[in-house]
Amino acid sequence: QQPVQSPQAVILREGEDAVINCSSSKALYSVHWYRQKHGEAPVFLMILLKGGEQKGHEKISASFNEKKQQSSLYLTASQLSYSGTYFCGTEWATGNQFYFGTGTSLTVIP
Amino acid sequence: DGGITQSPKYLFRKEGQNVTLSCEQNLNHDAMYWYRQDPGQGLRLIYYSQIVNDFQKGDIAEGYSVSREKKESFPLTVTSAQKNPTAFYLCASSIPGLAGLSVEQFFGPGTRLTVL
């Protein structure tokens, strides 16, 4: 039930791009993306709904492939501030239990 | 400023003692959640509440208890029955998910519980 994220960890140089994937074994209604800095609370990035996509941050976007039950988070021209652990969260229907993925650690170096 | 507060930030307890973690929100959100986070793992849901005086178990509710007597408060008690309570605990809240909508969760700063 917990979505699987890949890769588990990635190291980038400033300006490079990255893709983080989130896969579910069940059909998804929505996918959320959050970023967590070490020792801090997760911060919301964006929500993607079945049948559509909601706008996220600049240079950070996401896609939602309903057939593959998968979402991908795209970080372009990475900045040092992008470092952190990225979590996807999934739900199968509105109001149902929410499941977070195992997280992807992203480190951006100068 | 609206937000979620959790106290204390760090908590130490002896094995076998019950401990209650505080979570308060002034966002006027109906739904509240408790998650547990272990190193290298994602967030696992302990309990959630969609409305006052009602709550449901998440995936790892054993050894935990909650109450929801007020809209703004959702305390979590870690009981002595919880076999491995040392973890980072996060509280979150959201407006209820209406039909056709999925809503973001707002997180508190977390409480790091260490059982000695």
Side-chain angles (χ1 to χ4, degrees):
Chain A
Q1 293 172 330
Q2 184 180 30
V4 176
Q5 289 184 233
S6 62
Q8 286 187 316
V10 58
I11 299 175
L12 301 173
R13 292 198 177 276
E14 267 187 296
E16 291 183 338
D17 301 341
V19 179
I20 300 172
N21 298 307
C22 173
S23 297
S24 171
S25 59
K26 293 184 65 169
L28 296 174
Y29 172 77
S30 73
V31 178
H32 298 209
W33 285 98
Y34 293 79
R35 177 171 62 208
Q36 184 181 30
K37 302 279 187 178
H38 183 70
E40 298 180 6
V43 173
F44 170 77
L45 294 176
M46 68 184 75
I47 294 174
L48 296 99
L49 294 179
K50 178 180 177 179
E53 177 182 318
Q54 295 189 17
K55 184 181 177 183
H57 294 216
E58 294 185 8
K59 297 186 179 180
I60 299 179
S61 61
S63 64
F64 185 6
N65 188 322
E66 295 169 32
K67 288 185 178 179
K68 292 185 177 180
Q69 297 166 188
Q70 177 178 308
S71 176
S72 296
L73 185 71
Y74 306 96
L75 300 99
T76 59
S78 58
Q79 307 168 15
L80 296 177
S81 62
Y82 286 5
S83 293
T85 301
Y86 289 78
F87 292 99
C88 67
T90 58
E91 58 184 342
W92 307 319
T94 303
N96 272 22
Q97 185 169 326
F98 197 75
Y99 289 93
F100 278 96
T102 50
T104 296
S105 173
L106 186 139
T107 304
V108 181
I109 58 176
Chain B
D1 288 336
I4 302 176
T5 57
Q6 291 185 245
S7 60
K9 188 169 184 177
Y10 298 96
L11 189 56
F12 297 88
R13 280 295 182 269
K14 290 184 179 180
E15 193 172 346
Q17 290 182 334
N18 290 359
V19 60
T20 298
L21 281 58
S22 167
C23 176
E24 304 278 333
Q25 54 99 359
N26 61 4
L27 299 167
N28 201 32
H29 286 170
D30 285 306
M32 296 187 74
Y33 313 82
W34 273 107
Y35 293 94
R36 169 181 172 141
Q37 187 174 31
D38 294 283
Q41 296 192 32
L43 284 70
R44 293 183 291 168
L45 184 65
I46 305 172
Y47 270 97
Y48 64 105
S49 169
Q50 302 276 28
I51 198 168
V52 174
N53 291 323
D54 187 45
F55 48 82
Q56 286 79 41
K57 293 181 179 180
D59 286 333
I60 57 166
E62 185 175 351
Y64 300 97
S65 66
V66 293
S67 63
R68 187 81 189 281
E69 297 176 1
K70 298 186 296 183
K71 187 175 184 177
E72 59 270 23
S73 179
F74 191 40
L76 173 74
T77 297
V78 184
T79 74
S80 56
Q82 169 49 234
K83 299 302 180 188
N84 185 19
T86 295
F88 188 48
Y89 291 87
L90 286 160
C91 178
S93 71
S94 70
I95 61 174
L98 302 176
L101 291 179
S102 183
V103 296
E104 69 179 278
Q105 295 186 19
F106 294 82
F107 285 85
T111 292
R112 191 167 296 280
L113 173 65
T114 302
V115 176
L116 306 171

